[in-house]
Amino acid sequence: MGMAKNKRDGTNRRTSRRSSGPITFFVAVIIVALGLIQLVSTFHAYAINLSELNGLRNQQAQLVEHKRDLENQIRRWDDKAYVTAQARDRLGFVFPDEEAIRVLHPEAVTGGKDKDQADSKGVRAPRKNSLPWYQEMAYSFAKADRDPSANRNKGGTDQHPGDGAGPSGSASPAGSNSPGGSDGPSPSKGGGGQ
């Protein structure tokens, strides 16, 4: 009987080994799959971080270049010739001995379009004898502050500043102390910051 018992135990061992073989294989496959998933997610995070780092380095290089450009622009304003050129170009200032001349249709003279007119499509040319905006505004305020009955007594001969009001084309009425009056410096008379 002892031998029969051993045969049964051996058969049971073989059956248990055969049944545990596929389970072990599937457990091993699951562990390898989880390891691969972990490895792929790690490489994916690395790739994302690397691309973000490269993007930040590019952004830093652009910001350094922009900072350098801004510092160069600031240094330009220390040059007196640059300030003078900007005052002439942007604000229309002239020296006291000079006379300001603006060509209304430069394409007739040069054959090409003026860069200011090319940029401003649909903007009409300034009127003859027109003044800077701040002087026109001061004139409008002075005109609005006057008593309406005084205008009727004068006969309503008030003219717009761009229409040649006054002997020198001044924007203000005679004797006015408005900011745009003839008493203060004007860009066309060389009263600019030079």
Side-chain angles (χ1 to χ4, degrees):
M1 199 142 121
M3 205 167 213
K5 190 177 182 184
N6 282 339
K7 281 186 178 182
R8 285 185 200 161
D9 288 340
T11 310
N12 287 340
R13 285 182 195 164
R14 285 184 202 153
T15 312
S16 66
R17 282 185 186 168
R18 286 183 187 162
S19 64
S20 68
I23 294 174
T24 307
F25 176 73
F26 287 121
V27 168
V29 167
I30 290 173
I31 289 173
V32 169
L34 288 175
L36 286 175
I37 291 172
Q38 191 67 26
L39 189 64
V40 167
S41 68
T42 302
F43 281 129
H44 179 68
Y46 173 74
I48 288 175
N49 289 340
L50 189 62
S51 67
E52 185 177 332
L53 179 65
N54 288 336
L56 289 174
R57 284 181 181 161
N58 289 340
Q59 185 179 5
Q60 180 188 17
Q62 289 174 351
L63 289 174
V64 166
E65 183 66 28
H66 184 65
K67 177 185 173 193
R68 197 174 300 133
D69 290 342
L70 291 175
E71 287 173 347
N72 286 339
Q73 287 179 6
I74 290 171
R75 268 190 248 116
R76 278 190 221 145
W77 286 100
D78 292 335
D79 184 17
K80 196 167 190 166
Y82 180 77
V83 172
T84 303
Q86 291 300 312
R88 286 174 171 268
D89 187 42
R90 292 183 181 183
L91 303 175
F93 285 171
V94 295
F95 286 110
D97 300 343
E98 297 175 343
E99 183 176 334
I101 297 175
R102 173 167 234 155
V103 178
L104 293 180
H105 301 289
E107 65 272 2
V109 177
T110 62
K113 289 193 174 190
D114 184 24
K115 66 179 181 179
D116 293 338
Q117 288 182 353
D119 292 341
S120 60
K121 295 178 181 174
V123 178
R124 66 174 200 250
R127 292 182 308 267
K128 186 178 181 183
N129 297 331
S130 68
L131 298 172
W133 64 270
Y134 50 88
Q135 288 183 343
E136 285 192 14
M137 185 175 68
Y139 174 77
S140 296
F141 286 154
K143 185 176 177 182
D145 286 342
R146 279 193 237 127
D147 188 42
S149 61
N151 286 343
R152 276 185 246 137
N153 292 341
K154 285 183 183 178
T157 59
D158 243 356
Q159 295 180 348
H160 188 272
D163 297 337
S168 65
S170 171
S172 299
S176 172
N177 290 332
S178 66
S182 60
D183 296 338
S186 72
S188 62
K189 292 184 181 178
Q194 296 160 358

